[in-house]
Amino acid sequence: MQPFFILIPILLLVIYFIFRKDNHKNYVSLSEADKQLLFQHVTYYQHLTVDDRIRFEHRISAFLSGIHVEGVGTPITVLDKLLIASSAVIPVFGFEDWRYDNLTNVLLYPDTFNKDFQYEGGDRNILGMVGTGYMNGQMILSRSALLQGFSNAADKENTAIHEFVHLVDKSDGATDGVPENLMKHEYTIPWIKMIHEEMHKIEQGKSDINPYAITNEAEFFAVVSEYFFEKPDQFKSKHPELYDSLSMMFLQDLAKKDL
């Protein structure tokens, strides 16, 4: 029996190097052309320091190596993949080892779709969604919404970031607008109070936050997170308390210091 036990560590080493080789083979390395596309289309990336850009690029590579991106009714371009990965990395860039364990695939539709996942015909108003039930682990995004979210014309809104924030929210087991993995327990009640106070202002027309935020607490968190990442200076100026809370949650302070 002794020779058998001697062989166990050797066998484990062989398995390790097999999987290490496979992981290296699947690892997506960004080309200079990829980096140029990021710089042209992702404002967040433009504002990073040189060292943080390198770190951002590595996080992009890691995401694309582990998550399958597939086009449904539309071809997938390099830019599509880079924008999807950027949307995933931006909310969690403050966390060194964050992984989307609740995601395996991103499906990209050509345009809006309906609750039956049809992207042709009438009654299509869904821009993106995180799957539940038999669709658990899937995310569906509208390609037109993805591109719009990173265009210069976009104002405070980014559908893909919105959906990835839902995944961050969901990581504690509940998509409820209270990301317990990002905040200490004692901040939970003040955060919920802040949500409801701002919802009331939105209902009264006294807030510039997208009215979709009043749908529920989960949508509020995703909507204000879009605003936080897309227009941090404006968000801090108009909503300083919300800004400070999100800055604490995401471990990112994106607004200019002189505001």
Side-chain angles (χ1 to χ4, degrees):
M1 292 295 290
Q2 188 174 358
F4 174 77
F5 286 108
I6 294 174
L7 287 174
I8 290 177
I10 298 174
L11 180 61
L12 291 174
L13 278 174
V14 171
I15 293 172
Y16 167 78
F17 281 110
I18 288 174
F19 280 96
R20 183 184 180 195
K21 182 178 179 182
D22 286 344
N23 287 339
H24 179 74
K25 180 177 67 177
N26 294 330
Y27 193 78
V28 178
S29 180
L30 297 191
S31 67
E32 289 304 316
D34 295 336
K35 297 172 188 177
Q36 188 60 35
L37 281 174
L38 280 176
F39 191 81
Q40 291 172 353
H41 295 274
V42 182
T43 303
Y44 182 97
Y45 176 78
Q46 295 171 10
H47 292 164
L48 294 176
T49 64
V50 173
D51 288 343
D52 279 345
R53 283 181 194 167
I54 294 172
R55 194 162 62 89
F56 191 88
E57 293 158 9
H58 289 168
R59 299 282 292 273
I60 292 283
S61 296
F63 178 85
L64 293 175
S65 298
I67 304 297
H68 180 65
V69 178
E70 179 181 352
V72 178
T74 185
I76 293 287
T77 68
V78 172
L79 179 60
D80 293 333
K81 289 187 175 183
L82 290 173
L83 295 184
I84 289 170
S86 294
S87 307
V89 171
I90 287 171
V92 297
F93 194 56
F95 305 94
E96 203 60 44
D97 300 317
W98 187 280
R99 293 180 57 183
Y100 286 99
D101 293 327
N102 49 5
L103 180 68
T104 56
N105 298 287
V106 177
L107 305 178
L108 193 64
Y109 281 21
D111 208 333
T112 53
F113 52 96
N114 61 24
K115 58 182 177 62
D116 297 318
F117 312 118
Q118 296 175 338
Y119 55 88
E120 294 179 341
D123 192 28
R124 295 178 295 111
N125 60 0
I126 303 176
L127 301 176
M129 67 175 294
V130 172
T132 58
Y134 74 93
M135 287 290 288
N136 195 46
Q138 316 288 316
M139 178 184 290
I140 305 176
L141 291 172
S142 155
R143 186 170 186 268
S144 58
L146 173 69
L147 297 176
Q148 176 66 17
F150 284 95
S151 72
N152 292 330
D155 182 24
K156 303 180 296 187
E157 298 174 10
N158 186 305
T159 295
I161 288 178
H162 179 111
E163 297 305 325
F164 277 103
V165 169
H166 276 320
L167 279 184
V168 172
D169 186 8
K170 188 180 181 181
S171 66
D172 61 14
T175 311
D176 56 5
V178 183
E180 295 180 12
N181 289 337
L182 307 189
M183 61 194 308
K184 294 180 180 179
H185 180 71
E186 59 264 32
Y187 294 116
T188 299
I189 293 177
W191 170 243
I192 293 174
K193 181 181 178 182
M194 197 179 302
I195 288 176
H196 292 159
E197 287 175 351
E198 193 63 35
M199 281 182 167
H200 185 60
K201 291 178 184 177
I202 296 171
E203 290 174 333
Q204 292 182 319
K206 297 179 180 180
S207 174
D208 68 333
I209 292 173
N210 187 335
Y212 187 65
I214 66 174
T215 304
N216 54 47
E217 289 86 350
E219 294 301 343
F220 180 92
F221 178 51
V223 167
V224 296
S225 295
E226 291 179 74
Y227 196 163
F228 175 83
F229 288 111
E230 287 291 294
K231 303 288 183 183
D233 295 344
Q234 181 177 328
F235 187 59
K236 183 174 183 178
S237 175
K238 292 181 176 293
H239 308 279
E241 291 185 359
L242 281 172
Y243 178 91
D244 288 343
S245 293
L246 292 182
S247 181
M248 179 185 63
M249 290 182 201
F250 292 118
L251 300 182
Q252 300 188 57
D253 188 0
L254 305 176
K256 295 174 183 176
K257 304 302 181 185
D258 58 350
L259 284 180

